[in-house]
Amino acid sequence: MKEIATQNFQRVCEAYEVLSDESKRQIYDVYGMEGLTSGLELGPKLNKPEELKEELERLRRRKEHQKMVAHFRPSGTILAHLSLPQFLDGDGIMRGMAMSSEVHFQLSKRNTIAIGGNLEVQESSGGAAASAVLKHQLSSVSSIEFMASAGLRALVGVQTTRHLSLHSTATITIAKSLRDGSINLSNTWTRQLSETANGNVQLFLGPESSITVGWQKKDEKMSAAGELKIGTTSFGASANYTHRFSSVSHGRIAGTFGSTALEIEVGGGRKVSNFSTVRMLYTIGIQGIFWKFELHRGGQKFIIPILLSRHLNLTFATGAFLIPTSLYFLLKKFVVKPYYLQREKRKALENKEITSAQVQEARVAAEKAQQLLQVVANRKRNRQVETNGLIITKALYGSRKALKKGGLTEVNDELAFEVIDVTVPLNFLVNDSGQLKLHEGVKKSGIMGFCDPCPGEPKELYVEYTCGGQIFEVTVDDYAELLIPQESHRV
């Protein structure tokens, strides 16, 4: 017991040393103990000189890449228009193509330059343009931009923006066309109407003067926009709703109507990696019936709209919607989902093999810590029994899959190894007033007498307790707050 107490006392001393040192505490908040033990570098401890050199080289490359990304942000879109009716008429399937690209360079803290260009080919005609914008931040509330473009829209101009208040912004733009010498002036006022909505009014003076009133609303699931333009007698509005089925897949419904457009779009997408998303959409409107395939990776987009029919035929429109939808659900059920389940299972098995020795060592340390807490925990429990107070009768911590209300889903060695009994440490943490509180945002595996029985897996804490002769139970996530007793936990 003396040896166990010495080990745990050393842990307490280390924790006190970190929390009492402001710099160490900041490092710990961001990187954890690994950041302190390996010189602010995440990863395993390195013993050999070769390993140290490789790790330092990896960190150097990562910092260089992060620095380059921060100062160099490319974005671009490739749009390939395909037409099935045109192909059936023998004129080829390619209807047109458009490309656009833009690169942002952070020249200094106050100066940014953006260089871009676009190219469009439509049947026998086409055009291109190139542009450059230099932005200078005059102050924390105002900026100025110098613009120039060549090609279809050859012009030079200057634009200044200023925040009038916390929720209002004004922009003034003056530009001269190099093709016909005309001068265009525009004033735009933007006002934040709520946390998710804003409105704008634009006054445009030039060869085609107009006044535009617009409104936009965007939150996590839905976005909507509307615009009314007086002077060219045009108006338009659009809305789209996105629902996330899981962390990797989502569905989307969108609609657009106005003086020049009327269409409805339905589809969905799936995240195939940390940086890539694929999406398929079905569009029906006055321009015809379309399938649209999209690939998004970082700031790059590859979009392929396919015109299926220029005529709005109900039977054809229904078939064009049902065929890809049915194909998607069949592929998801019989190909995609089994593949991902198999991959996750393989990763879990590999993770268990790698961490099995570490978990076994942590379990032994937790059991020793519980032995150290046993005497005081029993004394606190007996005191609560005498006053008919809070008594922890059963507490399990571990894998969310292995835990269920009331205990394990199945009693077998594999699932039992992913769960640890923490009844003793929780009884130890009950205070004299008969309450137990675990703070929010603190990983529970760091509590004395706990350990992480399944690294990398989502974990929960299940607690069954009695208070005042009544039975209660509660299950909370790994980082969630636990405050007992509570009437809502009554069985």
Side-chain angles (χ1 to χ4, degrees):
M1 295 299 291
K2 182 179 178 181
E3 182 184 351
I4 297 170
T6 302
Q7 293 173 358
N8 284 277
F9 180 73
Q10 289 174 350
R11 288 185 61 200
V12 175
C13 289
E14 289 176 2
Y16 179 79
E17 182 184 353
V18 172
L19 296 176
S20 59
D21 188 312
E22 186 64 28
S23 61
K24 288 184 177 181
R25 181 169 183 165
Q26 290 177 357
I27 295 169
Y28 177 81
D29 288 343
V30 178
Y31 299 104
M33 282 303 295
E34 292 85 354
L36 293 168
T37 56
S38 58
L40 314 186
E41 302 149 4
L42 292 176
K45 292 183 179 179
L46 307 174
N47 299 318
K48 297 180 181 179
E50 294 79 9
E51 293 178 350
L52 181 60
K53 288 180 181 179
E54 290 177 2
E55 184 68 10
L56 290 173
E57 181 64 23
R58 184 184 67 82
L59 290 170
R60 186 187 65 79
R61 289 196 302 267
R62 186 173 66 179
K63 288 180 179 179
E64 288 180 354
H65 177 71
Q66 291 174 347
K67 187 177 181 181
M68 182 187 70
V69 169
H71 292 81
F72 180 82
R73 300 192 307 274
S75 61
T77 301
I78 299 177
L79 190 66
H81 294 273
L82 306 182
S83 174
L84 185 60
Q86 184 175 298
F87 175 74
L88 296 176
D89 291 339
D91 296 330
I93 197 169
M94 184 64 73
R95 185 183 174 196
M97 194 166 185
M99 300 175 64
S100 65
S101 182
E102 189 174 51
V103 180
H104 289 257
F105 296 92
Q106 189 76 34
L107 301 178
S108 65
K109 189 176 181 180
R110 291 178 175 268
N111 298 311
T112 306
I113 186 170
I115 301 174
N118 59 72
L119 172 68
E120 184 175 358
V121 178
Q122 194 74 23
E123 295 179 351
S124 59
S125 61
S131 64
V133 178
L134 174 63
K135 180 179 180 180
H136 176 69
Q137 195 73 31
L138 298 172
S139 67
S140 60
V141 296
S142 62
S143 64
I144 186 169
E145 297 181 11
F146 300 94
M147 305 171 290
S149 67
L152 288 176
R153 295 183 60 203
L155 58 84
V156 291
V158 61
Q159 173 178 292
T160 180
T161 302
R162 183 176 179 83
H163 295 284
L164 303 178
S165 68
L166 187 62
H167 303 289
S168 301
T169 304
T171 302
I172 300 176
T173 305
I174 183 170
K176 180 178 181 179
S177 174
L178 300 180
R179 298 175 66 89
D180 55 15
S182 62
I183 297 177
N184 299 313
L185 174 67
S186 69
N187 288 354
T188 304
W189 297 271
T190 303
R191 172 78 180 180
Q192 185 176 349
L193 305 176
S194 68
E195 292 184 358
T196 59
N198 63 75
N200 65 276
V201 178
Q202 183 185 57
L203 172 63
F204 184 83
L205 300 176
E208 297 180 358
S209 300
S210 63
I211 298 176
T212 304
V213 180
W215 171 81
Q216 302 87 31
K217 178 179 175 63
K218 185 175 183 180
D219 54 30
E220 188 177 352
K221 289 186 176 181
M222 181 179 179
S223 65
E227 183 180 276
L228 175 64
K229 184 178 289 188
I230 303 172
T232 56
T233 63
S234 66
F235 67 93
S238 64
N240 73 75
Y241 172 77
T242 301
H243 177 73
R244 296 196 174 278
F245 301 107
S246 66
S247 59
V248 295
S249 62
H250 66 274
R252 184 172 183 266
I253 300 175
T256 303
F257 71 92
S259 56
T260 59
L262 177 62
E263 65 180 31
I264 298 175
E265 193 171 69
V266 181
R270 187 175 183 88
K271 193 174 182 179
V272 294
S273 71
N274 291 333
F275 305 101
S276 301
T277 301
V278 293
R279 185 185 293 168
M280 180 178 178
L281 303 168
Y282 168 80
T283 305
I284 181 171
I286 58 176
Q287 294 183 350
I289 301 171
F290 291 84
W291 284 345
K292 186 187 292 184
F293 300 91
E294 298 182 2
L295 171 62
H296 298 241
R297 181 171 177 83
Q300 311 298 321
K301 299 178 184 179
F302 182 47
I303 304 173
I304 306 177
I306 304 175
L307 176 63
L308 303 176
S309 174
R310 295 188 180 92
H311 308 289
L312 301 181
N313 181 281
L314 181 61
T315 304
F316 186 86
T318 304
F321 173 74
L322 292 178
I323 290 174
T325 304
S326 304
L327 182 62
Y328 168 76
F329 282 108
L330 288 173
L331 287 173
K332 181 181 178 181
K333 183 176 181 180
F334 296 106
V335 179
V336 178
K337 194 172 182 180
Y339 168 75
Y340 276 101
L341 288 175
Q342 187 67 26
R343 190 177 72 171
E344 292 299 320
K345 187 176 180 180
R346 186 170 63 251
K347 285 184 178 180
L349 289 174
E350 292 175 355
N351 186 53
K352 283 182 181 179
E353 291 176 1
I354 295 171
T355 61
S356 59
Q358 177 186 349
V359 170
Q360 187 61 40
E361 184 180 341
R363 277 182 170 274
V364 172
E367 290 171 2
K368 289 181 178 180
Q370 290 189 21
Q371 291 176 21
L372 193 66
L373 303 175
Q374 185 76 58
V375 176
V376 179
N378 289 342
R379 186 164 63 242
K380 287 190 173 185
R381 179 189 172 103
N382 293 336
R383 189 180 305 150
Q384 294 299 320
V385 170
E386 293 172 0
T387 60
N388 204 19
L390 176 61
I391 304 166
I392 310 297
T393 56
K394 183 180 182 181
L396 299 173
Y397 173 73
S399 169
R400 183 180 298 168
K401 296 178 182 178
L403 278 177
K404 191 179 180 181
K405 269 198 172 184
L408 293 171
T409 52
E410 295 179 26
V411 180
N412 59 54
D413 293 338
E414 184 179 352
L415 290 178
F417 191 72
E418 296 182 358
V419 173
I420 181 173
D421 190 313
V422 291
T423 308
V424 171
L426 288 190
N427 273 312
F428 176 84
L429 292 173
V430 175
N431 59 28
D432 293 337
S433 59
Q435 288 186 330
L436 170 64
K437 182 175 183 179
L438 302 181
H439 294 278
E440 184 180 4
V442 180
K443 193 174 183 181
K444 295 174 177 57
S445 59
I447 300 172
M448 190 172 180
F450 282 60
C451 75
D452 189 346
C454 48
E457 293 286 330
K459 288 168 279 292
E460 288 182 341
L461 172 64
Y462 167 78
V463 182
E464 183 182 289
Y465 62 95
T466 61
C467 186
Q470 303 293 326
I471 301 176
F472 302 82
E473 66 176 10
V474 61
T475 302
V476 294
D477 288 333
D478 198 11
Y479 290 91
E481 181 186 53
L482 174 64
L483 179 61
I484 58 177
Q486 288 191 42
E487 190 62 29
S488 58
H489 301 160
R490 188 191 297 273
V491 176

